[in-house]
Amino acid sequence: MKANYGYMDGSGEFYITIDTDLCIECADHGCVKACPAGMFEIIVDDYDDEVAAIKEDHRKKIKYDCGPCKPVNDRPTLPCVAGCTLGALTHSW
Amino acid sequence: MITAGIDMGSKYIKVVILKDGTVLGRAMETTGFEPVESASRCLDKAIKEAGVEMSEIDHTTSTGAGRKVAPKTDSDITDVGAAAKGVVNLEKNIQTVIDIGAEEGRGIKIEADGKVVDFAVNEKCAAGAGAFAEAMSRALEVSIDEFGQLSLKSDKAIPMNAQCAVFAESEVVSLVHAKTPKHDIARAVHDAIASRIVSMVRRVGINESVALIGGVSHNPGFVDSLKRALETEVIIPENPDYIGALGAAITASERTK
Amino acid sequence: MTEKTKEFWRWKEYNWHDEAKDPKDVETISAGVDVGSVSSQAVILLDGELYAYSNMRTGSDSPNSAINAMNWAMENTGLTMDDLHYTVGTGYGRVNVPFSDRAITEIACHARGGNTMYGPTVRTILDMGGQDCKVILCDERGKVKNFLMNDKCAAGTGRGMEVFADLLAVSIEEVGELSLDVEEEPPPVSSTCVVFAKSEASSLLRDGWSKKRVLAAYCSAMAHRVVSLLERVGVEKDFAITGGIAKNSGVVVRLERELKLTSLKSKYDTQIAGALGAALFAKALVEKQRKKVAQ
Ligand code: SF4
Ligand code: SF4
């Protein structure tokens, strides 16, 4: 499943997409450890699979919570994207 | 040399008349539905106050959302560029400028000469700008001035969950129903905007010397919340509403040289 | 909030049950309750067949709203809570349903409910609720493949529409028809943000625009916004719309026009998709449980 967490408001679209089919195969859950804002958690989804998700209390403000990882100039690789060895994560902005 | 700066804001139009680095006159008008006419009126008012004639003005530069339609203009400059120029003219050491109007907020990182290094903008969502506080003060049925003052009386931090001005309004209404004191609600609202603004400004980096300009700088409750969120002092230059117009007038004089 | 406002933005509440069916001689009675932020629905199935449902406004606390919705669905059926073999709670208040056996997200329930309501060919479900908007892509068994949710911003939700209905003092149920009663389609309202769109609308009214024209401009802005959400995940045929706004023809017609797709119609009430999905999950779960016990 592709799970899109985040939102679209007047100022733009801010989504983190998690390809949870890849999560099922994942052993080290690098995203959880990599994110300095502690935004990821591992949940058991509706189909009883163990997958990564963005915590509820971050979903409506990811544009702000991810701010420190996304300086206007010289944006480095995002820690979460680098931390996920299976390449399950993408950001829309 | 005499120059003029026109700031064509979405709510107010401001004009500054400058002679050799000294402000001779300034004026403000609501933008309304006929921005060009309002701007002409505003320009006339400022010229009158400055005691000069239109023909004596060497160069006019405009800025703001409506800068492309400004009357009697020779050149224009972006909001960000004008804000930076205006701020360093008054406060030499500033490195970070936070500019928050009714409809948008900006964080600008500048060099000593007022050159813009980086900037981040929050626009088109009322939750990240002054309109958020205005909407919440309406929900509380107090004026925006009173709302700003009220906030200072609170010593409690209540988190607000809604990240949208529309949903936050319902949240404010239910806080009122739950008998939460108005001053605590006011502070919760200002804290919420401040935390969004600070996250945005962090994207350009925050230095020791921060200046706040734009309409929201008149709201003491917001200023207080911003200082807390930034964990640093915030300098509000004099006449903060006119900074854009001042920056434009300075640009005009540089362009005539 | 004034009394006047309340009147304009209230949806109708209702319940229904199939008098031709008898809950006495069935094997499984499963139920689903969807506690949304604005409205709550309950659905009861007899051996997987729709038997009863209700739809009402969510009150100030979720547990009570869930109980009220379920009791209302059971009105005049002779059933009580004790007769329900398995109940699944869903929606924003799903963890607070006191009588449910399990909570499942509204995304999975919508996909499952949509699969039954519109048939197994449905691939894209757009749900426009009171305070959120969801896009779900699912397979032929009603399993979610891709989803996107927007519950941060009021634009594109029922709440945003209510703000407009309020401003123009028209009832929310009339918005759609009124907005379609214009000679020529006006340009859409340019601000996405409900707060800014509202000031835009006020100035349009001052400029002499009719209420209908302003509504048309807003419905088309809303349709356009929802299309961009749909495009993020990519629309696949067949396409269906559920939730409160599915009843707003002003948005639906414009949305279909922009997508160049017609949405599937269903004989069921579009607002019960989530609760229906929950009841279907409940049926599967109770059967799984029975099998385990039998082994
Ligand atoms: S960009 Fe940074 S803050 Fe955002 S999810 Fe990734 S690691 Fe976390
Ligand atoms: S409706 Fe709310 S979230 Fe959406 S743009 Fe406006 S203030 Fe922001």
Side-chain angles (χ1 to χ4, degrees), chain A residues 16 34-37 39-40 54 65-66 69-70 78-81 91:
Chain A
I16 297 178
C35 174
M39 280 164 51
F40 290 87
I54 301 291
D65 291 340
C66 292
C69 289
K70 301 188 174 195
L78 303 173
C80 52
V81 172
H91 285 233

mmCIF file of all heavy atoms in Angstrom, chain A residues 16 34-37 39-40 54 65-66 69-70 78-81 91, ligand 1:
data_model
loop_
_atom_site.group_PDB
_atom_site.id
_atom_site.type_symbol
_atom_site.label_atom_id
_atom_site.label_comp_id
_atom_site.label_asym_id
_atom_site.label_seq_id
_atom_site.Cartn_x
_atom_site.Cartn_y
_atom_site.Cartn_z
ATOM 1 N N ILE A 16 4.274 12.980 2.850
ATOM 2 C CA ILE A 16 5.320 11.970 2.933
ATOM 3 C C ILE A 16 4.644 10.668 2.510
ATOM 4 O O ILE A 16 3.607 10.300 3.068
ATOM 5 C CB ILE A 16 5.885 11.836 4.364
ATOM 6 C CG1 ILE A 16 6.553 13.146 4.790
ATOM 7 C CG2 ILE A 16 6.883 10.671 4.438
ATOM 8 C CD1 ILE A 16 7.110 13.131 6.209
ATOM 9 N N ALA A 34 16.227 7.452 12.445
ATOM 10 C CA ALA A 34 16.852 8.578 11.748
ATOM 11 C C ALA A 34 16.171 9.923 11.984
ATOM 12 O O ALA A 34 16.831 10.954 11.990
ATOM 13 C CB ALA A 34 16.890 8.289 10.254
ATOM 14 N N CYS A 35 14.889 9.926 12.176
ATOM 15 C CA CYS A 35 14.166 11.199 12.203
ATOM 16 C C CYS A 35 14.396 11.958 13.509
ATOM 17 O O CYS A 35 13.992 11.501 14.575
ATOM 18 C CB CYS A 35 12.674 10.962 12.002
ATOM 19 S SG CYS A 35 11.704 12.469 12.201
ATOM 20 N N PRO A 36 15.027 13.147 13.431
ATOM 21 C CA PRO A 36 15.301 13.897 14.660
ATOM 22 C C PRO A 36 14.025 14.396 15.341
ATOM 23 O O PRO A 36 14.018 14.681 16.528
ATOM 24 C CB PRO A 36 16.166 15.064 14.171
ATOM 25 C CG PRO A 36 15.874 15.193 12.714
ATOM 26 C CD PRO A 36 15.527 13.825 12.227
ATOM 27 N N ALA A 37 12.942 14.496 14.577
ATOM 28 C CA ALA A 37 11.691 14.976 15.157
ATOM 29 C C ALA A 37 10.850 13.831 15.726
ATOM 30 O O ALA A 37 9.772 14.055 16.272
ATOM 31 C CB ALA A 37 10.895 15.740 14.106
ATOM 32 N N MET A 39 9.134 11.474 14.198
ATOM 33 C CA MET A 39 7.824 11.450 13.551
ATOM 34 C C MET A 39 7.320 10.066 13.153
ATOM 35 O O MET A 39 6.135 9.884 12.917
ATOM 36 C CB MET A 39 7.849 12.337 12.307
ATOM 37 C CG MET A 39 7.695 13.792 12.689
ATOM 38 S SD MET A 39 8.139 14.943 11.415
ATOM 39 C CE MET A 39 7.224 14.349 10.033
ATOM 40 N N PHE A 40 8.246 9.093 13.070
ATOM 41 C CA PHE A 40 7.823 7.768 12.604
ATOM 42 C C PHE A 40 7.490 6.812 13.741
ATOM 43 O O PHE A 40 8.065 6.898 14.822
ATOM 44 C CB PHE A 40 8.934 7.131 11.754
ATOM 45 C CG PHE A 40 9.118 7.811 10.432
ATOM 46 C CD1 PHE A 40 9.957 8.910 10.322
ATOM 47 C CD2 PHE A 40 8.442 7.367 9.304
ATOM 48 C CE1 PHE A 40 10.125 9.556 9.101
ATOM 49 C CE2 PHE A 40 8.598 8.000 8.086
ATOM 50 C CZ PHE A 40 9.443 9.099 7.988
ATOM 51 N N ILE A 54 3.439 7.802 9.970
ATOM 52 C CA ILE A 54 3.749 9.072 10.623
ATOM 53 C C ILE A 54 2.783 9.205 11.803
ATOM 54 O O ILE A 54 1.588 9.000 11.656
ATOM 55 C CB ILE A 54 3.537 10.266 9.660
ATOM 56 C CG1 ILE A 54 4.417 10.130 8.405
ATOM 57 C CG2 ILE A 54 3.785 11.602 10.357
ATOM 58 C CD1 ILE A 54 5.888 10.293 8.631
ATOM 59 N N ASP A 65 7.237 20.646 10.976
ATOM 60 C CA ASP A 65 8.094 19.717 11.704
ATOM 61 C C ASP A 65 9.326 19.314 10.902
ATOM 62 O O ASP A 65 10.381 19.046 11.467
ATOM 63 C CB ASP A 65 7.291 18.475 12.113
ATOM 64 C CG ASP A 65 6.250 18.807 13.185
ATOM 65 O OD1 ASP A 65 6.414 19.848 13.849
ATOM 66 O OD2 ASP A 65 5.290 18.038 13.346
ATOM 67 N N CYS A 66 9.194 19.237 9.589
ATOM 68 C CA CYS A 66 10.334 18.861 8.752
ATOM 69 C C CYS A 66 11.216 20.064 8.418
ATOM 70 O O CYS A 66 12.256 19.909 7.784
ATOM 71 C CB CYS A 66 9.873 18.215 7.447
ATOM 72 S SG CYS A 66 9.103 16.610 7.674
ATOM 73 N N CYS A 69 15.083 20.002 8.637
ATOM 74 C CA CYS A 69 15.770 19.130 7.678
ATOM 75 C C CYS A 69 15.773 19.720 6.271
ATOM 76 O O CYS A 69 16.381 19.174 5.370
ATOM 77 C CB CYS A 69 15.097 17.768 7.594
ATOM 78 S SG CYS A 69 15.346 16.756 9.037
ATOM 79 N N LYS A 70 15.016 20.801 6.088
ATOM 80 C CA LYS A 70 14.869 21.331 4.737
ATOM 81 C C LYS A 70 15.243 22.802 4.661
ATOM 82 O O LYS A 70 14.394 23.649 4.364
ATOM 83 C CB LYS A 70 13.421 21.148 4.273
ATOM 84 C CG LYS A 70 12.979 19.696 4.270
ATOM 85 C CD LYS A 70 11.625 19.512 3.639
ATOM 86 C CE LYS A 70 11.318 18.036 3.529
ATOM 87 N NZ LYS A 70 10.208 17.736 2.641
ATOM 88 N N LEU A 78 17.546 13.917 3.012
ATOM 89 C CA LEU A 78 16.783 13.916 4.260
ATOM 90 C C LEU A 78 17.176 12.700 5.090
ATOM 91 O O LEU A 78 17.334 11.601 4.559
ATOM 92 C CB LEU A 78 15.293 13.878 3.943
ATOM 93 C CG LEU A 78 14.790 15.020 3.063
ATOM 94 C CD1 LEU A 78 13.334 14.797 2.678
ATOM 95 C CD2 LEU A 78 14.960 16.356 3.772
ATOM 96 N N PRO A 79 17.332 12.888 6.402
ATOM 97 C CA PRO A 79 17.743 11.775 7.272
ATOM 98 C C PRO A 79 16.824 10.555 7.155
ATOM 99 O O PRO A 79 17.297 9.416 7.140
ATOM 100 C CB PRO A 79 17.647 12.365 8.682
ATOM 101 C CG PRO A 79 17.676 13.831 8.517
ATOM 102 C CD PRO A 79 17.175 14.140 7.141
ATOM 103 N N CYS A 80 15.513 10.783 7.051
ATOM 104 C CA CYS A 80 14.578 9.655 6.994
ATOM 105 C C CYS A 80 14.760 8.872 5.702
ATOM 106 O O CYS A 80 14.761 7.638 5.699
ATOM 107 C CB CYS A 80 13.145 10.154 7.122
ATOM 108 S SG CYS A 80 12.726 11.472 5.965
ATOM 109 N N VAL A 81 14.941 9.617 4.608
ATOM 110 C CA VAL A 81 15.105 8.973 3.305
ATOM 111 C C VAL A 81 16.419 8.179 3.287
ATOM 112 O O VAL A 81 16.479 7.045 2.816
ATOM 113 C CB VAL A 81 15.071 10.029 2.170
ATOM 114 C CG1 VAL A 81 15.439 9.409 0.834
ATOM 115 C CG2 VAL A 81 13.694 10.685 2.108
ATOM 116 N N HIS A 91 9.227 12.361 -0.252
ATOM 117 C CA HIS A 91 8.570 13.592 0.188
ATOM 118 C C HIS A 91 8.091 14.354 -1.042
ATOM 119 O O HIS A 91 8.781 14.387 -2.046
ATOM 120 C CB HIS A 91 9.564 14.484 0.938
ATOM 121 C CG HIS A 91 9.882 14.010 2.318
ATOM 122 N ND1 HIS A 91 9.763 14.819 3.410
ATOM 123 C CD2 HIS A 91 10.312 12.811 2.782
ATOM 124 C CE1 HIS A 91 10.111 14.138 4.501
ATOM 125 N NE2 HIS A 91 10.457 12.919 4.141
HETATM 126 S S1 SF4 D 1 12.617 15.307 6.809
HETATM 127 FE FE1 SF4 D 1 13.548 15.181 8.864
HETATM 128 S S2 SF4 D 1 11.919 15.715 10.286
HETATM 129 FE FE2 SF4 D 1 10.959 15.241 8.321
HETATM 130 S S3 SF4 D 1 10.422 13.087 8.463
HETATM 131 FE FE3 SF4 D 1 12.421 13.173 7.480
HETATM 132 S S4 SF4 D 1 13.905 12.992 9.143
HETATM 133 FE FE4 SF4 D 1 11.915 13.464 10.097
#
